[in-house]
Amino acid sequence: MKLPVLLAAAAAIQAPLVQQSLTRLVEVDGQVRRWMSEADKRKVTDTPNLGSFAHLRSAAKPTYPALNHSHVIRPVLDTLSTQHPKENLKEFTSFTTRYYQSETGRQSQQWLLSRISNITAEYSSETVKDKITITQFKHPWGQHSIIARINGSSTTDDAIIIIGAHQDSTNRIPALPSPGADDDASGTVTILETYRALIAADFSPVRPVEFHWYAGEEGGLLGSAAVAQAYEVEGANVYAMLQLDMTAWVKNGTREEIGVFTDAVDPSLTEFNKKLVDAYVDLPWVETTYPGRACSDHFSWTQAGYPSSSYFEGAFENVNRNVHSINDRWDISPEFSFEHMLEFSKLGVAFAVELAGWTQA
Ligand SMILES: *[C@@H]1O[C@H](CO)[C@@H](O)[C@H](O)[C@H]1NC(C)=O
Ligand SMILES: *[C@@H]1O[C@H](CO)[C@@H](O)[C@H](O)[C@H]1NC(C)=O
Ligand SMILES: *[C@@H]1O[C@H](CO)[C@@H](O)[C@H](O)[C@H]1NC(C)=O
Ligand SMILES: *[C@@H]1O[C@H](CO)[C@@H](O)[C@H](O)[C@H]1NC(C)=O
């Protein structure tokens, strides 16, 4: 990964001063040269105690249905807009950093919780409101993960559909700001728009649907590992997990497309996700891989033995090179596209409805 000249210079000056062991250039699978911090390195190693029961679940892998809800999904897609994601992202990226151990990282989490609560109050009808619980999943470092759950109508089928993103940000040089507009304010507000549109449409899922905003992803998938572990210990039944980490960037001169990660994911759920792209958005999908195994929070669920998947802003070689720097902003390049993000909000709606069902449907 090519560092902007200014940043490279700053890194050289500041490196001895910062506590966190800083960046090193790592070559992964001979493909891409990447700057990795200690935390990044932790992402590519296993989380202890996660997946103790994974072998039990792998014996009973779920299968995924043929798509049959377009009549209820299409009207919801028409209500999605870039307006809310724009407002939400501008405010969310105004915190100096959302680093999980920082004071502003704690404040940004409280802001997000408040925004989710306000959206729930403003957009949900009484019927859907009664089915929603918003909880903080507490972590010792102070920035908590947030879970918004819409209960399902079924009394016999409790298999959960999870759509996740991470709320924290980081800078390779921890002393510098990290607006994290693409990584991962984009995913955060993308799934918030999915949530808003579904509750505004009086969504009545058969199975429970949960939206997760993880803390501490950049510290090594910390929030999602804690949540996945708790679900595993409870014996929760997770039908499908979708992670959206970076949804905004369309590299100049490249074809706009939906990246579909094929590593560290469930293959049949990933095939299902390709069908969602074919059916519900006007962009092609492209298979892609992350150099190394653990690109984002879906890996925590994979490790726990649950079926997980991930869409990405495009092919990994066209990734936003500004991540983990002061330049991960929405306002410095037209390559940061709210219209592109909207396509992922659509896919979130389709994922939730096709997998959870809709009692009115
Ligand atoms: C969709 O298909 C599933 C099985 O694949 C079935 O259980 C469900 O009733 C169908 N829903 C509709 C609306 O046709
Ligand atoms: C949520 O609504 C309350 C009451 O109107 C307001 O004070 C607060 O700023 C809102 N929070 C966010 C994040 O917009
Ligand atoms: C949702 O379902 C869970 C599990 O059945 C239950 O404990 C919880 O009270 C329900 N929440 C709401 C808001 O109905
Ligand atoms: C995109 O590429 C075109 C053609 O190479 C160039 O003229 C334009 O300035 C580029 N735009 C950005 C935002 O980099």
Side-chain angles (χ1 to χ4, degrees):
M1 188 172 276
K2 192 160 153 275
L3 278 178
V5 176
L6 201 66
L7 269 180
I13 296 161
Q14 295 195 26
L17 302 177
V18 298
Q19 287 178 342
Q20 192 191 7
S21 123
L22 257 187
T23 49
R24 64 187 69 189
L25 199 56
V26 178
E27 203 154 337
V28 190
D29 301 340
Q31 291 177 31
V32 182
R33 308 187 104 211
R34 258 197 99 225
W35 290 90
M36 274 193 161
S37 64
E38 285 306 314
D40 275 345
K41 285 209 350 267
R42 274 205 299 279
K43 286 194 202 175
V44 297
T45 59
D46 288 321
T47 304
N49 306 322
L50 192 55
S52 315
F53 305 102
H55 62 287
L56 298 175
R57 277 187 294 277
S58 64
K61 282 277 182 211
T63 55
Y64 298 101
L67 308 187
N68 61 4
H69 290 83
S70 74
H71 57 298
V72 281
I73 289 172
R74 297 216 169 266
V76 182
L77 301 189
D78 291 341
T79 69
L80 294 166
S81 91
T82 57
Q83 180 209 335
H84 297 279
K86 266 184 195 159
E87 288 167 10
N88 292 334
L89 188 132
K90 286 175 189 177
E91 290 188 51
F92 199 48
T93 54
S94 67
F95 293 89
T96 312
T97 179
R98 302 188 305 277
Y99 188 62
Y100 74 109
Q101 290 177 327
S102 68
E103 174 55 21
T104 50
R106 196 190 62 75
Q107 289 166 3
S108 63
Q109 185 254 317
Q110 290 300 313
W111 179 91
L112 181 60
L113 178 65
S114 170
R115 183 51 58 92
I116 294 165
S117 305
N118 289 0
I119 284 177
T120 306
E122 187 174 346
Y123 288 94
S124 54
S125 66
E126 286 307 318
T127 18
V128 73
K129 200 174 287 177
D130 286 347
K131 292 182 246 172
I132 297 176
T133 349
I134 299 167
T135 46
Q136 296 187 82
F137 187 103
K138 298 274 174 94
H139 302 296
W141 54 82
Q143 178 189 70
H144 306 306
S145 296
I146 301 171
I147 299 175
R149 175 181 162 106
I150 310 171
N151 269 0
S153 60
S154 174
T155 51
T156 52
D157 189 348
D158 61 356
I160 309 165
I161 286 81
I162 299 172
I163 302 180
H166 74 87
Q167 51 171 290
D168 61 311
S169 68
T170 194
N171 194 309
R172 291 176 203 107
I173 305 150
L176 291 182
S178 54
D182 197 5
D183 187 11
D184 182 27
S186 65
T188 296
V189 305
T190 294
I191 72 169
L192 188 51
E193 177 66 359
T194 294
Y195 173 73
R196 187 195 66 76
L198 283 171
I199 62 173
D202 221 358
F203 183 37
S204 175
V206 177
R207 297 182 167 123
V209 176
E210 295 185 356
F211 292 84
H212 290 192
W213 289 272
Y214 300 114
E217 189 267 354
E218 303 289 6
L221 313 182
L222 300 176
S224 58
V227 174
Q229 185 159 33
Y231 279 48
E232 173 167 24
V233 168
E234 272 176 22
N237 185 5
V238 176
Y239 184 41
M241 193 275 163
L242 171 67
Q243 174 76 357
L244 293 181
D245 186 351
M246 299 172 65
T247 58
W249 201 255
V250 184
K251 188 180 175 183
N252 194 20
T254 67
R255 181 178 76 156
E256 185 179 356
E257 52 199 11
I258 306 286
V260 177
F261 276 125
T262 55
D263 49 347
V265 295
D266 181 85
S268 34
L269 183 57
T270 298
E271 286 306 308
F272 175 84
N273 286 352
K274 290 179 189 169
K275 291 183 194 147
L276 293 180
V277 177
D278 290 337
Y280 293 110
V281 302
D282 292 329
L283 296 176
W285 50 261
V286 57
E287 287 190 351
T288 192
T289 57
Y290 183 84
R293 284 191 298 158
C295 93
S296 192
D297 295 307
H298 54 283
F299 185 56
S300 294
W301 295 95
T302 295
Q303 274 191 291
Y306 291 117
S308 84
S309 61
S310 180
Y311 290 122
F312 192 61
E313 57 195 9
F316 190 80
E317 63 261 29
N318 299 327
V319 67
N320 184 345
R321 303 270 151 176
N322 296 326
V323 297
H324 299 186
S325 85
I326 55 171
N327 291 327
D328 185 5
R329 289 164 46 176
W330 60 271
D331 57 349
I332 56 173
S333 168
E335 292 163 293
F336 190 101
S337 167
F338 288 97
E339 286 70 29
H340 192 52
M341 284 166 56
L342 194 61
E343 302 300 317
F344 294 89
S345 295
K346 292 180 192 170
L347 291 168
V349 169
F351 187 86
V353 177
E354 289 289 0
L355 292 175
W358 192 322
T359 50
Q360 316 300 325

